[in-house]
Amino acid sequence: MLSYLHEFHAGNHADILKHITLIQILRHLNAKDSPYSFFDTHAGSAFYSLESASAKKTLEAEKGILALRGFLESGGENVPQEKIPECVKFYLEQVSPYLKIACYPGSPLLERNLMRRDSSLFLCELHPAEIEKLRENIFGRKSLEENALERNSVLQNARGKNECCAVKIFHADGLKNLAACTPPKIKRGAVLIDPPYEDLDEFDSVTKTVHAVHKKWSAGIIALWYPILEGKKTQIKEMLFQIADAAKRQNVHAEILQAEFAPGNNAEKAAANLLGSGMLVLNAPWKLDSQLREALEFLCGAIYKDAEFSISQN
């Protein structure tokens, strides 16, 4: 199925968790003065208007990134700057230029903007409409959408510092493409996997792909996003168990981080009873667990008063 479009959900609580995790992984990779490879299996269009009919229909950004920005801009109930986790502030710095024109960047833009010039970014998208938008938003092709000049100005400014970053875009199944392309030529690196989980067999496909990739590319950081869905808790639990079990059998010393965030009644819930989301990270970077804990504790106090979260690493 190809019915999922992220424009309905851009900037929601799941994006906040996913993108803070993504950014911290990229910062970890950037800390070493050597190139790396990064794969994004479900890139989407990379750029979303928060004033589109789709965004207005769900209002998820208003209870997500816009609520967070509003909290901080209003003084945040007198929260001093030193109380705001550094990873949250850095995340907001990356998305703020887009928020100024009522838009939100998808993971491919965050990746391209933050990655080292000597590194390689591999983006994959299967949806026929999204792949064209992705190419336009990454390579700056002429837009036919409204506010194109203003939007392209933001994209160009964001791109300026890292024009030499190598980017390849594949119109293909992201999981199959990842399995075929790993291990990469540059062995240091990571992958973000965040499928829509539209079909039940997608859980099995994700499990098999992560196992195959980790077996071939044991040093790679594998970050898997997953939804917490009312009707699919069993499938999600089984998927996570199988992935972690296989990873430990492959390498007993593998650092496996699991972070889950359920925003509660204050957040606008998406279709299909989305209760929250999680990140499973194999070969988790040092301190990522404490960084996510600080971020989620802050989010609970700032905009999600009845939220719940959990962090574990083993």
Side-chain angles (χ1 to χ4, degrees), residues 132-150:
E132 292 305 319
K133 293 178 182 178
L134 176 63
R135 287 172 177 146
E136 175 189 314
N137 290 325
I138 293 298
F139 296 131
R141 297 181 180 182
K142 185 176 179 181
S143 173
L144 300 178
E145 301 176 12
E146 294 181 2
N147 301 319
L149 293 178
E150 187 175 36

Side-chain angles (χ1 to χ4, degrees), residues 60-81:
E60 291 185 31
E62 292 190 11
K63 298 296 179 73
I65 185 59
L66 297 181
L68 178 58
R69 182 186 65 173
F71 175 85
L72 296 177
E73 288 183 347
S74 66
E77 298 180 7
N78 299 317
V79 176
Q81 284 293 308

Side-chain angles (χ1 to χ4, degrees), residues 172-204:
D173 181 298
L175 297 177
K176 292 179 180 178
N177 189 72
L178 176 65
C181 292
T182 50
K185 188 173 182 179
I186 301 175
K187 298 296 192 297
R188 200 168 78 92
V191 55
L192 173 65
I193 304 173
D194 62 333
Y197 300 94
E198 291 180 293
D199 302 318
L200 288 179
D201 61 1
E202 206 158 17
F203 294 96
D204 186 53

Side-chain angles (χ1 to χ4, degrees), residues 13-14 225-233 236 260-278 304 306-309:
H13 56 82
W225 177 88
Y226 60 91
I228 301 174
L229 295 166
E230 184 64 53
K232 297 181 180 179
K233 289 183 178 180
I236 294 168
E260 291 192 349
F261 181 56
N265 294 328
N266 287 341
E268 194 74 23
K269 294 179 181 177
N273 298 314
L274 180 66
L275 304 177
S277 66
Y304 300 117
D306 58 346
E308 296 180 354
F309 74 90

Side-chain angles (χ1 to χ4, degrees), residues 6-281:
H6 194 64
E7 62 188 13
F8 287 92
H9 314 294
N12 68 358
H13 56 82
D15 264 359
I16 293 175
L17 171 60
K18 176 172 63 178
H19 289 157
I20 288 178
T21 305
L22 167 65
I23 288 171
Q24 292 306 116
I25 290 173
L26 290 171
R27 296 178 79 185
H28 167 80
L29 291 169
N30 287 340
K32 187 175 181 180
D33 189 20
S34 62
Y36 58 87
S37 304
F38 198 97
F39 296 85
D40 191 328
T41 62
H42 296 75
S45 67
F47 183 84
Y48 308 96
S49 169
L50 299 182
E51 294 184 337
S52 68
S54 301
K56 292 294 186 182
K57 183 176 181 179
T58 61
L59 299 176
E60 291 185 31
E62 292 190 11
K63 298 296 179 73
I65 185 59
L66 297 181
L68 178 58
R69 182 186 65 173
F71 175 85
L72 296 177
E73 288 183 347
S74 66
E77 298 180 7
N78 299 317
V79 176
Q81 284 293 308
E82 60 269 20
K83 294 295 184 181
I84 304 172
E86 193 276 337
C87 61
V88 173
K89 288 192 284 189
F90 192 83
Y91 160 66
L92 286 169
E93 289 175 6
Q94 307 313 305
V95 301
S96 287
Y98 301 94
L99 296 179
K100 289 178 181 178
I101 58 168
C103 295
Y104 187 81
S107 53
L109 287 181
L110 296 173
E111 292 152 3
R112 186 209 60 193
N113 294 346
L114 285 168
M115 284 179 63
R116 293 173 52 89
R117 297 183 181 185
D118 55 4
S119 297
S120 300
L121 175 59
F122 303 91
L123 304 174
C124 204
E125 177 55 46
L126 185 58
H127 197 289
E130 295 293 272
I131 187 68
E132 292 305 319
K133 293 178 182 178
L134 176 63
R135 287 172 177 146
E136 175 189 314
N137 290 325
I138 293 298
F139 296 131
R141 297 181 180 182
K142 185 176 179 181
S143 173
L144 300 178
E145 301 176 12
E146 294 181 2
N147 301 319
L149 293 178
E150 187 175 36
R151 185 196 70 176
N152 286 341
S153 175
V154 170
L155 294 182
Q156 186 62 46
N157 291 338
R159 183 184 300 117
K161 62 182 179 182
N162 119 328
E163 292 177 349
C164 296
C165 177
V167 182
K168 291 185 179 181
I169 296 178
F170 300 88
H171 183 197
D173 181 298
L175 297 177
K176 292 179 180 178
N177 189 72
L178 176 65
C181 292
T182 50
K185 188 173 182 179
I186 301 175
K187 298 296 192 297
R188 200 168 78 92
V191 55
L192 173 65
I193 304 173
D194 62 333
Y197 300 94
E198 291 180 293
D199 302 318
L200 288 179
D201 61 1
E202 206 158 17
F203 294 96
D204 186 53
S205 298
V206 168
T207 302
K208 291 179 179 178
T209 299
V210 173
H211 176 56
V213 171
H214 185 242
K215 188 174 182 179
K216 294 191 298 178
W217 190 24
S218 60
I221 299 170
I222 302 177
L224 171 67
W225 177 88
Y226 60 91
I228 301 174
L229 295 166
E230 184 64 53
K232 297 181 180 179
K233 289 183 178 180
T234 301
Q235 292 89 341
I236 294 168
K237 184 177 180 179
E238 181 64 19
M239 177 186 72
L240 297 175
F241 171 78
Q242 289 188 17
I243 290 174
D245 182 62
K248 282 296 185 181
R249 283 190 282 108
Q250 175 73 19
N251 177 11
V252 70
H253 300 296
E255 293 288 344
I256 304 177
L257 168 65
Q258 185 175 358
E260 291 192 349
F261 181 56
N265 294 328
N266 287 341
E268 194 74 23
K269 294 179 181 177
N273 298 314
L274 180 66
L275 304 177
S277 66
M279 295 294 302
L280 186 74
V281 185

